[in-house]
């Protein structure tokens, strides 16, 4: 295997996907269990996500879930991938992350995104409108100011216990996110590995516009993407089937369902439109044997100059998911942590 990946950090993002016949509590507990597994394998970070009102995703409160993950682990960094800032008041986010950092000092990351609720109903329930995303830069400045004590939006108000703490912030790039990260001098999380030309354009623009800040002296790029590893290329591609079908179903039925078994999906009669979305959902992801995946990721790192890879993999079979992360750890040359 190539040694080019030496020095590249590998991290994991888990969205707490539910499976057919499985409820949300089971999915959340499985996320915590997976965090313990990837910690032992030597991964650098474990991040959790924020989704609201999505039937197939149990992760709706990332700071709460991050607390459970951090309590169940001891060495891996834990964070949000991310908190969708337009859905929240910056003060509340600062307080929650401040509590996490106070309980688990030196292990918490603050990944911040600029998405708002996916549907009108969710946005109304959150008390937010679509145009909240246009204020992301302003909200981000306020959020960081609660940690430094320099926010001016609310004079004489202090964020406790956040003020004075140093929690690494990351901006998840959607839309204008890369430019905002560069202007704020923050690390960038960007994906996915399939749209390589667009990815490279955004990364180059981020590096060119980056302004050093108290949070980061130099640009730092985390490239996110789906990676599946198995004994054969065909087996690895099969791991992608459940998520591809969920995507196709959501695009044609308006609802993102729990993950189904590949055998059931392969026996379905899909409409032409569903088939198109399904095939598109399978294409372009990094998958294959350990050697194939190591080569593909080596190329991705060379092209993007990324310092870190954030891997997310969703599949029906949890044992196969764990095996994929084990194989990826070997392919990347990660050093297992002692028990």
């Amino acid at each position: 295997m190539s040694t080019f990946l030496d020095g590249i950090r590998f991290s994991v993002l888990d969205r707490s996907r539910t499976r057919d016949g499985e409820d949300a509590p089971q999915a959340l507990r499985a996320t915590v269990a997976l965090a313990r597994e990837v910690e032992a394998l030597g991964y650098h970070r474990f991040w959790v996500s924020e989704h609201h009102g999505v039937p197939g995703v149990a992760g709706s409160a990332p700071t709460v879930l991050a607390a459970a993950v951090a309590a169940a682990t001891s060495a891996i960094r834990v964070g949000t991938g991310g908190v969708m800032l337009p859905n929240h008041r910056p003060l509340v986010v600062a307080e929650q992350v401040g509590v996490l950092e106070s309980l688990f000092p030196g292990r918490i990351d603050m990944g911040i995104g600029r998405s708002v609720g996916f549907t009108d109903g969710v946005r109304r329930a959150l008390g937010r409108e679509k145009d909240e995303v246009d204020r992301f830069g302003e909200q981000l400045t306020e959020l960081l100011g609660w940690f430094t004590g320099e926010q001016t939006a609310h004079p004489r108000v202090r964020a406790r216990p956040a003020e004075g703490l140093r929690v690494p912030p990351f901006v998840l790039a959607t839309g204008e996110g890369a430019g905002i990260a560069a202007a704020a001098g923050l690390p960038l999380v960007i994906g996915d590995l399939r749209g390589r030309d667009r990815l490279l354009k955004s990364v180059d623009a981020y590096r060119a516009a980056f302004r050093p800040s108290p949070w980061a002296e130099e640009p730092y790029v985390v490239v996110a993407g789906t990676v599946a590893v198995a004994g054969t290329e065909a087996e690895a591609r099969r791991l992608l089937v459940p998520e591809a079908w969920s995507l196709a179903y959501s695009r044609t039925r308006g609802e993102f369902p729990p993950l189904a078994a590949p055998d059931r999906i392969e026996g379905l009669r899909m409409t032409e439109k569903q088939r198109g979305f399904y095939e598109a959902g399978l294409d372009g992801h990094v998958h294959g044997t350990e050697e194939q995946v190591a080569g593909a990721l080596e190329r991705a790192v060379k092209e993007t100059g990324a310092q870190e890879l954030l891997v997310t993999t969703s599949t029906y079979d949890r044992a196969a998911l764990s095996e994929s992360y084990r194989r990826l750890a070997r392919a990347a040359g990660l050093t297992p942590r002692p028990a």
Side-chain angles (χ1 to χ4, degrees):
M1 188 194 74
S2 169
T3 59
F4 188 86
L5 294 175
D6 290 350
I8 300 299
R9 290 169 167 169
F10 277 76
S11 300
V12 172
L13 167 65
D14 190 70
R15 293 183 295 147
S16 301
R17 294 285 276 113
T18 59
R19 274 76 171 163
D20 277 349
E22 176 185 82
D23 59 19
Q26 288 174 293
L28 293 170
R29 287 191 290 269
T31 289
V32 176
L34 180 63
R36 289 195 292 263
E37 290 181 26
V38 301
E39 176 181 55
L41 291 170
Y43 286 88
H44 183 61
R45 310 180 204 274
F46 188 89
W47 281 7
V48 295
S49 63
E50 176 183 339
H51 296 273
H52 297 284
V54 181
V57 183
S60 58
T63 54
V64 177
L65 185 52
V69 169
T73 55
S74 60
I76 195 169
R77 296 194 64 86
V78 178
T80 57
V83 168
M84 296 299 120
L85 193 54
N87 291 337
H88 309 280
R89 299 296 301 180
L91 171 61
V92 175
V93 175
E95 289 173 337
Q96 292 175 347
V97 174
V99 168
L100 282 171
E101 176 64 18
S102 298
L103 292 172
F104 309 101
R107 292 181 56 210
I108 301 301
D109 298 320
M110 182 171 60
I112 302 296
R114 65 188 295 270
S115 296
V116 73
F118 292 140
T119 67
D120 290 339
V122 169
R123 287 190 290 271
R124 284 194 297 269
L126 292 170
R128 294 293 184 263
E129 301 294 339
K130 279 186 177 181
D131 59 5
E132 289 288 336
V133 298
D134 298 330
R135 298 182 52 246
F136 178 71
E138 172 189 337
Q139 293 167 329
L140 181 62
T141 297
E142 180 184 335
L143 174 62
L144 298 178
W146 289 117
F147 286 91
T148 63
E150 298 171 335
Q151 70 82 27
T152 58
H154 305 280
R156 296 184 297 279
V157 180
R158 313 286 284 274
R160 307 292 190 195
E163 187 173 318
L165 297 180
R166 294 284 296 181
V167 181
F170 296 75
V171 172
L172 279 61
T174 56
E176 301 298 322
I180 292 172
L186 299 181
L188 176 72
V189 182
I190 188 167
D192 60 29
L193 289 167
R194 294 191 295 175
R196 195 66 57 87
D197 290 341
R198 184 170 58 181
L199 172 65
L200 294 176
K201 184 177 179 181
S202 295
V203 168
D204 288 345
Y206 162 74
R207 288 200 175 99
F210 184 87
R211 297 190 302 188
S213 76
W215 302 98
E217 295 182 358
E218 299 177 346
Y220 188 90
V221 175
V222 183
V223 172
T226 294
V227 179
V229 196
T232 68
E233 185 175 359
E235 290 172 353
R237 182 176 172 83
R238 205 159 188 264
L239 295 179
L240 304 173
V241 165
E243 187 73 11
W245 168 243
S246 289
L247 178 63
Y249 190 93
S250 70
R251 294 286 182 87
T252 54
R253 298 290 186 89
E255 184 176 286
F256 201 72
L259 297 171
D263 287 343
R264 187 174 80 78
I265 294 168
E266 290 166 350
L268 293 174
R269 295 183 62 182
M270 300 183 194
T271 67
E272 183 177 349
K273 190 173 184 180
Q274 285 176 332
R275 177 65 63 179
F277 283 128
Y278 172 69
E279 295 293 344
L282 289 171
D283 288 343
H285 297 297
V286 175
H287 70 283
T289 64
E290 293 175 31
E291 292 76 14
Q292 289 172 320
V293 166
L297 293 180
E298 177 181 334
R299 290 190 295 273
V301 169
K302 284 182 177 178
E303 291 175 2
T304 63
Q307 288 99 329
E308 186 170 341
L309 295 173
L310 180 63
V311 177
T312 180
T313 307
S314 295
T315 195
Y316 177 82
D317 187 334
R318 291 196 183 279
L321 176 66
S322 295
E323 179 64 16
S324 179
Y325 281 123
R326 281 193 292 271
R327 288 178 178 274
L328 177 59
R330 286 199 298 265
L334 302 186
T335 302
R337 291 184 174 91

